[in-house]
Amino acid sequence: MVSEALECLSVKEDGVYVDATLGLGGHSEKILATNDRARVIGIDQDTEAIEFAEKRLGNFGKRIEIFHRNFADIRKVLNLAGVEKVDGIIADLGVSSLQFDSESRGFSFRFDAPLDMRMNPNSAGETAAELLARLSQEEIANLIYECGEERHSRRIARLIAERRDADESVQTTTQLANLVKRAIPRKKGKDKIHPATKTFQALRIAVNGELDILEKFLRDSVDLLKTEGKLVVITFHSLEDRIVKRTFQSLSGKCFCPPKFPQCVCGVEKIVKILTRRPMVPDESEQLQNPRSRSAKLRACAKL
């Protein structure tokens, strides 16, 4: 959704923009190409993605500055870059194609790989395999249900626990995918998605703490925008989209107090104007060209 994102950002001459999830550098490249005086500050926690983006964006010279950080550190990054406020911020959430297509990172059940799933493979954080080895059966079930919205989470958790009790802990993507397939009843006809999709999503979210930091990132980003600066966020599953939608509504002044309260006590303040009454989605041609974009939703707001 590069064209939609650029439309919402309205790139200015001499504008300073943050690509909070740099990935392969696609959005940054378009921002820099739109105006030959625009500047981009890129953030990513994946060293492989940064290496790729540096080569792709090398021709833009000093107009692109890249930081190896999590997007939750956006305040620290701007401080390091010597920038107080910016004209726009874009965050394309989820896993990049580089990570999905890697045969060794453990994000995809298409490859037999160690069950890792860390977006920053150099971090000391817990891998997905270590997480499954540590959590109780009930905790695994709750995680898969809450982060993956998988209704068969308890069956999956039971099989994981049984395998672990037999001293055969889940260590690889193939082991987990086969286990999930056993847990989920077969349906007549061909399923549109692999039965392990939601479980893999849940583990990835938990390993990387994606939902825990999202609302803070959104609020920090709005605070770091100049007046009329734009924040554009692309999500790929309902949990992320729900957080973005609710946070934007709160920042636009919507009260979330119970209807019977005599006055608002949630302390909302109108800070932004929502630019997307409904989320923008990829058009049919993009979905055909890039099937992974099917679940994408774009929301944007402007700081008042």
Side-chain angles (χ1 to χ4, degrees):
M1 300 184 72
V2 175
S3 59
E4 292 89 345
L6 286 177
E7 179 185 345
C8 292
L9 282 175
S10 303
V11 178
K12 294 180 178 180
E13 186 176 354
D14 291 330
V16 180
Y17 296 86
V18 177
D19 189 344
T21 51
L22 180 66
L24 303 183
H27 287 108
S28 289
E29 183 177 46
K30 292 298 183 182
I31 293 170
L32 293 165
T34 297
N35 193 299
D36 60 10
R37 297 177 68 181
R39 175 185 172 193
V40 171
I41 298 168
I43 305 172
D44 208 289
Q45 60 182 329
D46 190 329
T47 51
E48 289 184 26
I50 288 176
E51 184 178 348
F52 185 97
E54 284 177 337
K55 294 178 181 177
R56 179 176 187 170
L57 305 172
N59 291 336
F60 294 104
K62 294 183 179 180
R63 292 204 290 133
I64 174 72
E65 190 172 5
I66 300 174
F67 292 85
H68 179 214
R69 294 269 187 160
N70 186 289
F71 66 69
D73 296 328
I74 187 169
R75 285 189 182 276
K76 294 178 181 178
V77 169
L78 290 190
N79 184 52
L80 291 170
V83 175
E84 185 176 348
K85 300 285 183 179
V86 296
D87 297 280
I89 299 171
I90 181 169
D92 186 355
L93 306 179
V95 183
S96 72
S97 294
L98 180 69
Q99 293 164 334
F100 262 132
D101 294 336
S102 171
E103 297 185 15
S104 61
R105 300 286 294 276
F107 287 103
S108 175
F109 36 73
R110 292 185 294 124
F111 311 108
D112 186 23
L115 199 59
D116 192 317
M117 295 193 183
R118 291 172 299 170
M119 289 187 179
N120 180 0
N122 299 320
S123 74
E126 207 171 27
T127 67
E130 291 168 342
L131 188 67
L132 290 180
R134 176 176 62 81
L135 297 181
S136 68
Q137 179 178 330
E138 182 178 3
E139 289 172 328
I140 293 172
N142 290 340
L143 186 158
I144 296 173
Y145 180 76
E146 292 170 5
C147 295
E149 299 180 312
E150 172 57 76
R151 62 191 183 94
H152 299 293
S153 62
R154 304 217 170 275
R155 291 184 185 179
I156 296 168
R158 177 170 55 79
L159 290 182
I160 291 172
E162 288 176 356
R163 183 184 176 98
R164 189 172 58 190
D165 292 342
D167 292 328
E168 296 179 353
S169 59
V170 179
Q171 293 292 328
T172 70
T173 54
T174 300
Q175 289 172 352
L176 179 60
N178 289 339
L179 184 149
V180 174
K181 287 172 69 175
R182 283 175 49 207
I184 297 179
R186 293 183 179 179
K187 296 179 181 179
K188 292 183 179 180
K190 189 176 181 180
D191 292 333
K192 291 184 178 179
I193 64 170
H194 191 285
T197 299
K198 293 181 178 180
T199 299
F200 271 67
Q201 170 189 297
L203 287 174
R204 189 202 80 222
I205 289 172
V207 166
N208 296 288
E210 295 174 35
L211 300 182
D212 299 334
I213 60 178
L214 181 52
E215 182 176 350
K216 180 182 182 300
F217 163 74
L218 296 172
R219 292 183 178 275
D220 283 349
S221 294
V222 168
D223 189 45
L224 293 168
L225 289 173
K226 298 177 182 178
T227 300
E228 298 184 359
K230 312 294 194 310
L231 172 60
V232 177
V233 185
I234 302 172
T235 63
F236 287 86
H237 59 77
S238 59
L239 297 174
E240 287 177 339
D241 182 60
R242 201 174 302 146
I243 292 173
V244 176
K245 177 182 177 181
R246 189 177 178 88
T247 304
F248 278 14
Q249 287 176 335
S250 175
L251 292 169
S252 68
K254 180 176 179 179
C255 174
F256 288 96
C257 293
K260 294 184 179 180
F261 271 36
Q263 63 181 27
C264 174
V265 295
C266 62
V268 294
E269 186 179 355
K270 191 171 184 178
I271 302 172
V272 305
K273 175 185 177 182
I274 296 176
L275 302 177
T276 48
R277 185 177 296 274
R278 293 181 180 179
M280 301 172 73
V281 297
D283 59 28
E284 187 176 351
S285 62
E286 181 171 0
Q287 291 186 43
L288 289 172
Q289 184 179 0
N290 178 19
R292 289 173 180 167
S293 71
R294 286 189 301 243
S295 58
K297 292 183 178 179
L298 183 153
R299 294 184 186 272
C301 66
K303 187 170 183 179
L304 299 174

